[in-house]
Amino acid sequence: MKIMSVDYGDARTGIAFCDKNEILATAFATINESYQPKLIEKIKEIISSQNPEMIVIGLPRNMDGSYGFRCEKCKQLGEELKKEPLSHTIFYRIITLRVKREKQMLMLFLP
């Protein structure tokens, strides 16, 4: 499955894609945009050109494992992308600093 990952930041947003075997992710683009409507347009262009089967948005956690303001911003980005007429599934994947990968995720289906 072709998975697109989004690392959302205030000034820059990273986009990566995994291989079809879901083993290796490779950086695809860095979007230098802080204005969210323009950022969403640029992400939509990448989605249209690359046609991912799934989109993963990283949710950074605090060192103590709690969710901070940055997680809320990432969820807001996901909600904004969800409003767009795209035929993809958006996952919010929990990203931690632990070596062990967590399996928690919130799945949202686009209309």
Side-chain angles (χ1 to χ4, degrees), residues 48-111:
S48 294
S49 69
Q50 297 299 311
N51 213 10
E53 298 168 57
M54 183 189 304
I55 301 170
V56 177
I57 300 175
L59 290 181
R61 293 179 97 173
N62 296 326
M63 293 294 285
D64 64 0
S66 65
Y67 301 98
F69 75 95
R70 190 77 219 154
C71 284
E72 289 306 314
K73 285 188 165 192
C74 292
K75 287 180 183 180
Q76 288 172 0
L77 175 69
E79 291 299 320
E80 290 300 317
L81 284 174
K82 199 172 114 171
K83 291 178 186 176
E84 301 300 324
L86 304 170
S87 60
H88 302 282
T89 303
I90 295 182
F91 281 86
Y92 297 114
R93 183 174 298 256
I94 307 304
I95 298 175
T96 67
L97 296 176
R98 298 180 199 149
V99 174
K100 184 178 177 185
R101 226 181 204 172
E102 293 194 16
K103 300 292 180 182
Q104 301 172 341
M105 60 183 74
L106 171 64
M107 188 165 107
L108 298 172
F109 293 99
L110 295 173

